[in-house]
Amino acid sequence: KQVKNGLKQNRFKAFFQPIMDIENKSIYKYEALIRYRDDTNTPVAPLHFLEIARKAKLYPKVIKVMINEAINLIKTKNKRVAVNISFDDISSYKTTSYVYDILEKNENLTHMLEFEILESEEIQDFEAVIEFISNVKKFGCTVGVDDFGAGYSNFNMLTHLDIDFVKIDVSLINKIDSEKNQEIIVSTISNFSKEFGFKTVAEFVTTEKIFNKVKELKIDYAQGYYFGKPIDIKDIN
């Protein structure tokens, strides 16, 4: 009920977390992350409501909120921004039609919009994903795979998708400074990505030690509390 009413009352907003260029430590882009504002105006993290929204079949409305919030950031702050999109979204004609309509209406801004395909979900229809990537790239959007290294990850899949970047899952980054196995896997992903021309993003970079390790492994971008938490659009300069 809260989720349903929240959508009607515009309680869902995007917060934006910086993603840093490791080479020069400057903000390259932001990721749009959904938040629900409760009765006290306190932002609530998605782990408390996103699964409920899915089960209640309200999730398609969430992606609509997020893409509009992302376009607004580009329009008002002139910042590059990435939005998560799931296989469920991509396989929904209504959702993709809405996305394409927004892109068409904002064609002068879409070169600064990126999509992160959630890779933790099994992709059941590769053709649908390939078609989506092709369609959004016509508007100049950049596309990547999120959560790589978790769920149904495989290198062969990456070679069949026209993507620009790979975001390495938290499960491979959170102890990379202390666990050799994680370091080896991330190094393999980094080397593979360079061979195929993909940029790499490390998420959940929370300490200087983790940052130094991902830098050593030649990851291109980093995201995490070491650089900054998700913030309200009004706090972005």
Side-chain angles (χ1 to χ4, degrees):
K1 187 175 179 181
Q2 276 183 286
V3 172
K4 198 171 184 178
N5 289 338
L7 287 163
K8 288 179 182 176
Q9 297 163 7
N10 296 320
R11 286 178 179 261
F12 287 95
K13 298 290 180 185
F15 272 46
F16 300 93
Q17 187 171 29
I19 297 177
M20 312 298 291
D21 184 320
I22 288 180
E23 191 65 33
N24 57 32
K25 279 195 176 182
S26 64
I27 296 175
Y28 173 66
K29 63 181 176 183
Y30 289 86
E31 181 182 2
L33 300 164
I34 192 77
R35 294 292 184 269
Y36 169 79
R37 288 195 177 276
D38 64 16
D39 291 338
T40 63
N41 209 34
T42 303
V44 178
L47 74 98
H48 298 292
F49 61 79
L50 216 52
E51 192 56 35
I52 296 166
R54 286 185 195 277
K55 289 178 179 176
K57 301 194 185 302
L58 295 170
Y59 188 73
K61 294 185 178 180
V62 173
I63 183 66
K64 292 178 181 180
V65 170
M66 294 305 288
I67 193 164
N68 280 294
E69 291 277 275
I71 291 292
N72 184 51
L73 178 73
I74 299 170
K75 192 178 293 184
T76 60
K77 302 283 185 171
N78 195 34
K79 304 293 184 184
R80 175 172 286 274
V81 60
V83 176
N84 289 321
I85 191 160
S86 69
F87 175 71
D88 283 347
D89 295 322
I90 292 171
S91 61
S92 165
Y93 175 77
K94 284 179 71 174
T95 302
T96 54
S97 294
Y98 183 87
V99 169
Y100 301 149
D101 185 53
I102 292 293
L103 298 182
E104 195 169 346
K105 288 176 179 175
N106 296 276
E107 204 161 356
N108 61 318
L109 306 173
T110 50
H111 64 286
M112 296 183 73
L113 181 66
E114 304 192 1
F115 288 95
E116 294 183 4
I117 300 171
L118 297 170
E119 212 275 326
S120 53
E121 298 181 355
E122 185 176 15
I123 296 175
Q124 297 164 340
D125 183 355
F126 255 86
E127 291 306 314
V129 177
I130 290 169
E131 183 181 1
F132 173 80
I133 293 172
S134 174
N135 286 339
V136 298
K137 283 201 163 194
K138 290 172 186 173
F139 293 96
C141 298
T142 302
V143 183
V145 168
D146 195 7
D147 301 329
F148 191 76
Y152 298 88
S153 300
N154 70 79
F155 288 103
N156 187 50
M157 179 205 70
L158 296 182
T159 65
H160 288 85
L161 298 177
D162 182 20
I163 59 168
D164 305 288
F165 66 91
V166 174
K167 181 177 277 190
I168 304 168
D169 188 67
V170 54
S171 63
L172 296 175
I173 299 296
N174 60 355
K175 293 181 181 177
I176 195 173
D177 58 324
S178 59
E179 292 196 6
K180 189 65 179 177
N181 287 348
Q182 287 192 4
E183 180 182 341
I184 292 169
I185 295 169
V186 172
S187 177
T188 302
I189 294 170
S190 176
N191 292 332
F192 174 89
S193 298
K194 281 176 172 49
E195 288 289 333
F196 281 89
F198 310 143
K199 294 291 186 181
T200 45
V201 185
E203 61 180 1
F204 211 79
V205 177
T206 53
T207 67
E208 186 175 9
K209 282 185 176 180
I210 293 175
F211 169 69
N212 287 335
K213 181 57 69 174
V214 298
K215 185 177 182 181
E216 179 188 317
L217 296 176
K218 298 186 174 5
I219 304 300
D220 298 295
Y221 304 106
Q223 175 181 6
Y225 280 15
Y226 179 63
F227 301 105
K229 296 181 179 181
I231 56 175
D232 194 297
I233 189 171
K234 63 181 172 55
D235 298 319
I236 297 175
N237 296 323

PDB file of all heavy atoms in Angstrom, residues 31-34 50 59 62-63 66-67 82-86 89 114-118 146-147 167 203:
ATOM      1  N   GLU A  31      25.350   7.569 -10.818  1.00  0.00           N
ATOM      2  CA  GLU A  31      24.344   6.528 -10.990  1.00  0.00           C
ATOM      3  C   GLU A  31      23.079   6.945 -10.261  1.00  0.00           C
ATOM      4  O   GLU A  31      23.139   7.358  -9.093  1.00  0.00           O
ATOM      5  CB  GLU A  31      24.816   5.178 -10.441  1.00  0.00           C
ATOM      6  CG  GLU A  31      23.753   4.091 -10.661  1.00  0.00           C
ATOM      7  CD  GLU A  31      24.124   2.725 -10.106  1.00  0.00           C
ATOM      8  OE1 GLU A  31      25.201   2.581  -9.508  1.00  0.00           O
ATOM      9  OE2 GLU A  31      23.302   1.802 -10.270  1.00  0.00           O
ATOM     10  N   ALA A  32      21.948   6.850 -10.950  1.00  0.00           N
ATOM     11  CA  ALA A  32      20.652   7.171 -10.337  1.00  0.00           C
ATOM     12  C   ALA A  32      20.180   5.967  -9.517  1.00  0.00           C
ATOM     13  O   ALA A  32      20.070   4.862 -10.037  1.00  0.00           O
ATOM     14  CB  ALA A  32      19.632   7.507 -11.419  1.00  0.00           C
ATOM     15  N   LEU A  33      19.929   6.189  -8.233  1.00  0.00           N
ATOM     16  CA  LEU A  33      19.506   5.127  -7.318  1.00  0.00           C
ATOM     17  C   LEU A  33      18.179   5.510  -6.675  1.00  0.00           C
ATOM     18  O   LEU A  33      18.036   6.606  -6.129  1.00  0.00           O
ATOM     19  CB  LEU A  33      20.576   4.900  -6.241  1.00  0.00           C
ATOM     20  CG  LEU A  33      21.954   4.478  -6.793  1.00  0.00           C
ATOM     21  CD1 LEU A  33      23.027   4.649  -5.726  1.00  0.00           C
ATOM     22  CD2 LEU A  33      21.904   3.037  -7.271  1.00  0.00           C
ATOM     23  N   ILE A  34      17.214   4.612  -6.737  1.00  0.00           N
ATOM     24  CA  ILE A  34      15.868   4.910  -6.258  1.00  0.00           C
ATOM     25  C   ILE A  34      15.811   5.003  -4.735  1.00  0.00           C
ATOM     26  O   ILE A  34      16.455   4.225  -4.031  1.00  0.00           O
ATOM     27  CB  ILE A  34      14.866   3.844  -6.768  1.00  0.00           C
ATOM     28  CG1 ILE A  34      13.412   4.282  -6.533  1.00  0.00           C
ATOM     29  CG2 ILE A  34      15.137   2.484  -6.159  1.00  0.00           C
ATOM     30  CD1 ILE A  34      12.900   5.283  -7.474  1.00  0.00           C
ATOM     31  N   LEU A  50      11.838  -2.580  -2.995  1.00  0.00           N
ATOM     32  CA  LEU A  50      11.910  -2.928  -4.414  1.00  0.00           C
ATOM     33  C   LEU A  50      11.300  -4.293  -4.718  1.00  0.00           C
ATOM     34  O   LEU A  50      10.586  -4.455  -5.710  1.00  0.00           O
ATOM     35  CB  LEU A  50      13.368  -2.882  -4.891  1.00  0.00           C
ATOM     36  CG  LEU A  50      13.579  -2.378  -6.321  1.00  0.00           C
ATOM     37  CD1 LEU A  50      12.893  -1.047  -6.563  1.00  0.00           C
ATOM     38  CD2 LEU A  50      15.065  -2.269  -6.635  1.00  0.00           C
ATOM     39  N   TYR A  59       6.718  -2.414 -10.375  1.00  0.00           N
ATOM     40  CA  TYR A  59       8.099  -2.096 -10.730  1.00  0.00           C
ATOM     41  C   TYR A  59       8.220  -1.311 -12.042  1.00  0.00           C
ATOM     42  O   TYR A  59       9.075  -0.423 -12.148  1.00  0.00           O
ATOM     43  CB  TYR A  59       8.942  -3.367 -10.792  1.00  0.00           C
ATOM     44  CG  TYR A  59      10.410  -3.100 -10.963  1.00  0.00           C
ATOM     45  CD1 TYR A  59      11.176  -2.607  -9.901  1.00  0.00           C
ATOM     46  CD2 TYR A  59      11.039  -3.303 -12.194  1.00  0.00           C
ATOM     47  CE1 TYR A  59      12.518  -2.344 -10.058  1.00  0.00           C
ATOM     48  CE2 TYR A  59      12.392  -3.039 -12.348  1.00  0.00           C
ATOM     49  CZ  TYR A  59      13.121  -2.565 -11.284  1.00  0.00           C
ATOM     50  OH  TYR A  59      14.447  -2.292 -11.441  1.00  0.00           O
ATOM     51  N   VAL A  62       8.420   2.230 -11.460  1.00  0.00           N
ATOM     52  CA  VAL A  62       9.658   2.699 -10.840  1.00  0.00           C
ATOM     53  C   VAL A  62      10.674   3.096 -11.905  1.00  0.00           C
ATOM     54  O   VAL A  62      11.314   4.144 -11.804  1.00  0.00           O
ATOM     55  CB  VAL A  62      10.243   1.620  -9.899  1.00  0.00           C
ATOM     56  CG1 VAL A  62      11.616   2.034  -9.386  1.00  0.00           C
ATOM     57  CG2 VAL A  62       9.298   1.363  -8.721  1.00  0.00           C
ATOM     58  N   ILE A  63      10.841   2.282 -12.949  1.00  0.00           N
ATOM     59  CA  ILE A  63      11.803   2.607 -14.003  1.00  0.00           C
ATOM     60  C   ILE A  63      11.389   3.896 -14.717  1.00  0.00           C
ATOM     61  O   ILE A  63      12.237   4.693 -15.138  1.00  0.00           O
ATOM     62  CB  ILE A  63      11.976   1.445 -15.013  1.00  0.00           C
ATOM     63  CG1 ILE A  63      13.049   1.772 -16.074  1.00  0.00           C
ATOM     64  CG2 ILE A  63      10.688   1.089 -15.710  1.00  0.00           C
ATOM     65  CD1 ILE A  63      14.441   1.904 -15.552  1.00  0.00           C
ATOM     66  N   MET A  66      12.612   6.688 -12.608  1.00  0.00           N
ATOM     67  CA  MET A  66      14.062   6.811 -12.648  1.00  0.00           C
ATOM     68  C   MET A  66      14.571   7.454 -13.936  1.00  0.00           C
ATOM     69  O   MET A  66      15.494   8.266 -13.912  1.00  0.00           O
ATOM     70  CB  MET A  66      14.696   5.434 -12.448  1.00  0.00           C
ATOM     71  CG  MET A  66      14.453   4.855 -11.065  1.00  0.00           C
ATOM     72  SD  MET A  66      14.982   5.965  -9.750  1.00  0.00           S
ATOM     73  CE  MET A  66      16.746   5.829  -9.900  1.00  0.00           C
ATOM     74  N   ILE A  67      13.980   7.087 -15.058  1.00  0.00           N
ATOM     75  CA  ILE A  67      14.480   7.665 -16.310  1.00  0.00           C
ATOM     76  C   ILE A  67      14.132   9.150 -16.397  1.00  0.00           C
ATOM     77  O   ILE A  67      14.917   9.963 -16.890  1.00  0.00           O
ATOM     78  CB  ILE A  67      13.985   6.875 -17.550  1.00  0.00           C
ATOM     79  CG1 ILE A  67      14.783   7.306 -18.777  1.00  0.00           C
ATOM     80  CG2 ILE A  67      12.495   7.057 -17.781  1.00  0.00           C
ATOM     81  CD1 ILE A  67      14.673   6.386 -19.950  1.00  0.00           C
ATOM     82  N   ALA A  82      23.773   7.322 -15.170  1.00  0.00           N
ATOM     83  CA  ALA A  82      23.434   5.942 -15.530  1.00  0.00           C
ATOM     84  C   ALA A  82      22.182   5.504 -14.775  1.00  0.00           C
ATOM     85  O   ALA A  82      21.985   5.843 -13.614  1.00  0.00           O
ATOM     86  CB  ALA A  82      24.592   5.012 -15.181  1.00  0.00           C
ATOM     87  N   VAL A  83      21.349   4.719 -15.471  1.00  0.00           N
ATOM     88  CA  VAL A  83      20.100   4.195 -14.904  1.00  0.00           C
ATOM     89  C   VAL A  83      20.111   2.671 -15.030  1.00  0.00           C
ATOM     90  O   VAL A  83      20.477   2.138 -16.071  1.00  0.00           O
ATOM     91  CB  VAL A  83      18.869   4.754 -15.663  1.00  0.00           C
ATOM     92  CG1 VAL A  83      17.585   4.140 -15.127  1.00  0.00           C
ATOM     93  CG2 VAL A  83      18.812   6.260 -15.554  1.00  0.00           C
ATOM     94  N   ASN A  84      19.715   1.987 -13.956  1.00  0.00           N
ATOM     95  CA  ASN A  84      19.593   0.521 -14.015  1.00  0.00           C
ATOM     96  C   ASN A  84      18.349   0.125 -14.795  1.00  0.00           C
ATOM     97  O   ASN A  84      17.296   0.758 -14.665  1.00  0.00           O
ATOM     98  CB  ASN A  84      19.477  -0.061 -12.606  1.00  0.00           C
ATOM     99  CG  ASN A  84      20.774   0.030 -11.843  1.00  0.00           C
ATOM    100  OD1 ASN A  84      21.848  -0.170 -12.402  1.00  0.00           O
ATOM    101  ND2 ASN A  84      20.698   0.348 -10.562  1.00  0.00           N
ATOM    102  N   ILE A  85      18.474  -0.938 -15.569  1.00  0.00           N
ATOM    103  CA  ILE A  85      17.308  -1.487 -16.256  1.00  0.00           C
ATOM    104  C   ILE A  85      17.407  -3.011 -16.220  1.00  0.00           C
ATOM    105  O   ILE A  85      18.484  -3.577 -16.427  1.00  0.00           O
ATOM    106  CB  ILE A  85      17.200  -0.949 -17.705  1.00  0.00           C
ATOM    107  CG1 ILE A  85      15.843  -1.309 -18.312  1.00  0.00           C
ATOM    108  CG2 ILE A  85      18.356  -1.422 -18.585  1.00  0.00           C
ATOM    109  CD1 ILE A  85      15.457  -0.445 -19.502  1.00  0.00           C
ATOM    110  N   SER A  86      16.307  -3.660 -15.905  1.00  0.00           N
ATOM    111  CA  SER A  86      16.312  -5.111 -15.734  1.00  0.00           C
ATOM    112  C   SER A  86      15.862  -5.811 -17.017  1.00  0.00           C
ATOM    113  O   SER A  86      15.309  -5.189 -17.931  1.00  0.00           O
ATOM    114  CB  SER A  86      15.377  -5.508 -14.584  1.00  0.00           C
ATOM    115  OG  SER A  86      14.024  -5.280 -14.949  1.00  0.00           O
ATOM    116  N   ASP A  89      12.242  -5.281 -17.548  1.00  0.00           N
ATOM    117  CA  ASP A  89      11.944  -4.006 -18.212  1.00  0.00           C
ATOM    118  C   ASP A  89      12.121  -4.130 -19.722  1.00  0.00           C
ATOM    119  O   ASP A  89      11.278  -3.698 -20.506  1.00  0.00           O
ATOM    120  CB  ASP A  89      12.874  -2.893 -17.699  1.00  0.00           C
ATOM    121  CG  ASP A  89      12.674  -2.572 -16.235  1.00  0.00           C
ATOM    122  OD1 ASP A  89      11.516  -2.576 -15.784  1.00  0.00           O
ATOM    123  OD2 ASP A  89      13.674  -2.298 -15.541  1.00  0.00           O
ATOM    124  N   GLU A 114      23.138   6.808 -19.711  1.00  0.00           N
ATOM    125  CA  GLU A 114      23.658   5.449 -19.802  1.00  0.00           C
ATOM    126  C   GLU A 114      22.664   4.462 -19.187  1.00  0.00           C
ATOM    127  O   GLU A 114      21.938   4.807 -18.258  1.00  0.00           O
ATOM    128  CB  GLU A 114      25.009   5.342 -19.078  1.00  0.00           C
ATOM    129  CG  GLU A 114      26.041   6.331 -19.600  1.00  0.00           C
ATOM    130  CD  GLU A 114      27.445   6.043 -19.091  1.00  0.00           C
ATOM    131  OE1 GLU A 114      27.618   5.061 -18.340  1.00  0.00           O
ATOM    132  OE2 GLU A 114      28.365   6.798 -19.458  1.00  0.00           O
ATOM    133  N   PHE A 115      22.671   3.250 -19.699  1.00  0.00           N
ATOM    134  CA  PHE A 115      21.844   2.182 -19.136  1.00  0.00           C
ATOM    135  C   PHE A 115      22.749   1.071 -18.615  1.00  0.00           C
ATOM    136  O   PHE A 115      23.683   0.648 -19.308  1.00  0.00           O
ATOM    137  CB  PHE A 115      20.897   1.614 -20.200  1.00  0.00           C
ATOM    138  CG  PHE A 115      19.781   2.538 -20.577  1.00  0.00           C
ATOM    139  CD1 PHE A 115      19.901   3.369 -21.686  1.00  0.00           C
ATOM    140  CD2 PHE A 115      18.610   2.585 -19.825  1.00  0.00           C
ATOM    141  CE1 PHE A 115      18.870   4.227 -22.040  1.00  0.00           C
ATOM    142  CE2 PHE A 115      17.588   3.453 -20.175  1.00  0.00           C
ATOM    143  CZ  PHE A 115      17.714   4.272 -21.283  1.00  0.00           C
ATOM    144  N   GLU A 116      22.453   0.608 -17.399  1.00  0.00           N
ATOM    145  CA  GLU A 116      23.156  -0.534 -16.819  1.00  0.00           C
ATOM    146  C   GLU A 116      22.181  -1.710 -16.775  1.00  0.00           C
ATOM    147  O   GLU A 116      21.205  -1.677 -16.023  1.00  0.00           O
ATOM    148  CB  GLU A 116      23.654  -0.211 -15.410  1.00  0.00           C
ATOM    149  CG  GLU A 116      24.724   0.872 -15.368  1.00  0.00           C
ATOM    150  CD  GLU A 116      25.252   1.112 -13.959  1.00  0.00           C
ATOM    151  OE1 GLU A 116      24.843   0.378 -13.029  1.00  0.00           O
ATOM    152  OE2 GLU A 116      26.073   2.021 -13.786  1.00  0.00           O
ATOM    153  N   ILE A 117      22.440  -2.719 -17.588  1.00  0.00           N
ATOM    154  CA  ILE A 117      21.578  -3.901 -17.612  1.00  0.00           C
ATOM    155  C   ILE A 117      21.940  -4.792 -16.431  1.00  0.00           C
ATOM    156  O   ILE A 117      23.101  -5.174 -16.260  1.00  0.00           O
ATOM    157  CB  ILE A 117      21.740  -4.676 -18.933  1.00  0.00           C
ATOM    158  CG1 ILE A 117      21.366  -3.775 -20.116  1.00  0.00           C
ATOM    159  CG2 ILE A 117      20.884  -5.941 -18.927  1.00  0.00           C
ATOM    160  CD1 ILE A 117      21.692  -4.378 -21.465  1.00  0.00           C
ATOM    161  N   LEU A 118      20.961  -5.098 -15.601  1.00  0.00           N
ATOM    162  CA  LEU A 118      21.202  -5.889 -14.400  1.00  0.00           C
ATOM    163  C   LEU A 118      21.528  -7.327 -14.785  1.00  0.00           C
ATOM    164  O   LEU A 118      20.668  -8.071 -15.250  1.00  0.00           O
ATOM    165  CB  LEU A 118      19.980  -5.835 -13.476  1.00  0.00           C
ATOM    166  CG  LEU A 118      19.648  -4.437 -12.933  1.00  0.00           C
ATOM    167  CD1 LEU A 118      18.293  -4.442 -12.241  1.00  0.00           C
ATOM    168  CD2 LEU A 118      20.725  -3.963 -11.971  1.00  0.00           C
ATOM    169  N   ASP A 146      25.640  -4.511 -15.533  1.00  0.00           N
ATOM    170  CA  ASP A 146      25.809  -4.288 -14.095  1.00  0.00           C
ATOM    171  C   ASP A 146      26.006  -5.625 -13.385  1.00  0.00           C
ATOM    172  O   ASP A 146      25.642  -6.691 -13.914  1.00  0.00           O
ATOM    173  CB  ASP A 146      24.562  -3.578 -13.550  1.00  0.00           C
ATOM    174  CG  ASP A 146      24.791  -2.980 -12.172  1.00  0.00           C
ATOM    175  OD1 ASP A 146      25.937  -2.986 -11.691  1.00  0.00           O
ATOM    176  OD2 ASP A 146      23.812  -2.501 -11.579  1.00  0.00           O
ATOM    177  N   ASP A 147      26.582  -5.579 -12.188  1.00  0.00           N
ATOM    178  CA  ASP A 147      26.706  -6.766 -11.311  1.00  0.00           C
ATOM    179  C   ASP A 147      27.460  -7.924 -11.951  1.00  0.00           C
ATOM    180  O   ASP A 147      27.171  -9.087 -11.647  1.00  0.00           O
ATOM    181  CB  ASP A 147      25.315  -7.264 -10.878  1.00  0.00           C
ATOM    182  CG  ASP A 147      24.516  -6.215 -10.122  1.00  0.00           C
ATOM    183  OD1 ASP A 147      25.152  -5.403  -9.435  1.00  0.00           O
ATOM    184  OD2 ASP A 147      23.285  -6.205 -10.216  1.00  0.00           O
ATOM    185  N   LYS A 167      30.327  -3.379 -15.169  1.00  0.00           N
ATOM    186  CA  LYS A 167      30.442  -3.017 -13.749  1.00  0.00           C
ATOM    187  C   LYS A 167      30.642  -4.296 -12.937  1.00  0.00           C
ATOM    188  O   LYS A 167      29.830  -5.210 -12.983  1.00  0.00           O
ATOM    189  CB  LYS A 167      29.199  -2.260 -13.272  1.00  0.00           C
ATOM    190  CG  LYS A 167      29.299  -1.847 -11.798  1.00  0.00           C
ATOM    191  CD  LYS A 167      28.095  -1.044 -11.344  1.00  0.00           C
ATOM    192  CE  LYS A 167      28.244   0.403 -11.703  1.00  0.00           C
ATOM    193  NZ  LYS A 167      27.187   1.237 -11.070  1.00  0.00           N
ATOM    194  N   GLU A 203      32.413  -1.381  -8.224  1.00  0.00           N
ATOM    195  CA  GLU A 203      31.464  -0.804  -7.264  1.00  0.00           C
ATOM    196  C   GLU A 203      31.852  -1.216  -5.853  1.00  0.00           C
ATOM    197  O   GLU A 203      32.656  -2.123  -5.644  1.00  0.00           O
ATOM    198  CB  GLU A 203      30.028  -1.228  -7.583  1.00  0.00           C
ATOM    199  CG  GLU A 203      29.757  -2.716  -7.531  1.00  0.00           C
ATOM    200  CD  GLU A 203      28.313  -3.051  -7.865  1.00  0.00           C
ATOM    201  OE1 GLU A 203      27.525  -2.136  -8.162  1.00  0.00           O
ATOM    202  OE2 GLU A 203      27.977  -4.245  -7.845  1.00  0.00           O
TER     203      GLU A 203
END
